[in-house]
Amino acid sequence: QTESGPRLAWTPVKELESLRRTSKDLTDLDLAPGSADPFALENGELFEIEATFAPSRDSLIVLNVRGIEVSYDASQERLTVGGHSAPAPLTNGRQSLRVFCDRNGLEVFASGGRTFLPWPYPPLSSERRLSIEVRTGTIRAENVSLHHLKSAWK
């Protein structure tokens, strides 16, 4: 149920949680341009990122996941993945993102599942970094969880 009435939503299956190997949970982060990157020391191949944050009206937050930019522009309420974008409305002034990264690409869920942007690409095996930055405005991240995943095939 949304403020516009009933809507269909995309959500990852709960069984994906069984792939979580290690997790890093951060709460109550205030981020602005120039803030320290909470993921600065993180790298790997398979990730799940969950984030719930309250952006200022002019904020632009960017996740770099293995060389692909995932950004949220609060002024336009738009999610962009690899240059493709879709509306991603705030709910009560908050945004929720869930990003899965594997060897074949990204799957990005936003706005409680009302927005889904898959990005099929084979990431470079040498590109294993993960970063988060606020380019404009500020955000209050209520929680950010980074889960390193194990392979579903092993």
Side-chain angles (χ1 to χ4, degrees):
Q1 184 72 359
T2 70
E3 56 279 351
S4 302
R7 296 290 183 264
L8 291 176
W10 292 273
T11 57
V13 296
K14 187 158 182 64
E15 290 78 7
L16 287 172
E17 293 175 10
S18 69
L19 297 177
R20 293 176 180 169
R21 203 169 29 98
T22 60
S23 296
K24 178 179 183 176
D25 297 312
L26 306 168
T27 58
D28 300 325
L29 289 174
D30 291 311
L31 298 172
S35 293
D37 179 359
F39 292 153
L41 301 177
E42 300 295 334
N43 66 67
E45 187 175 33
L46 309 172
F47 296 110
E48 175 190 358
I49 303 161
E50 298 176 287
T52 302
F53 56 91
S56 63
R57 205 59 213 146
D58 61 340
S59 69
L60 175 63
I61 182 171
V62 178
L63 293 169
N64 187 306
V65 183
R66 296 195 64 195
I68 297 296
E69 278 196 1
V70 175
S71 64
Y72 184 72
D73 183 338
S75 68
Q76 296 182 31
E77 295 190 12
R78 290 195 71 78
L79 176 70
T80 302
V81 178
H84 295 274
S85 66
L90 295 169
T91 302
N92 298 322
R94 292 180 175 80
Q95 183 54 265
S96 63
L97 292 179
R98 196 159 175 199
V99 180
F100 287 89
C101 176
D102 64 20
R103 294 177 189 103
N104 294 314
L106 298 178
E107 292 187 345
V108 182
F109 300 83
S111 301
R114 289 185 284 168
T115 302
F116 173 61
L117 279 174
W119 185 252
Y121 81 102
L124 297 173
S125 59
S126 61
E127 181 57 78
R128 300 171 62 88
R129 292 177 299 123
L130 176 66
S131 67
I132 183 171
E133 72 172 306
V134 173
R135 293 193 179 157
T136 61
T138 60
I139 68 161
R140 171 74 171 170
E142 295 169 9
N143 69 320
V144 178
S145 297
L146 170 63
H147 309 287
H148 288 268
L149 304 176
K150 60 185 177 184
S151 172
W153 303 107
K154 294 181 183 178

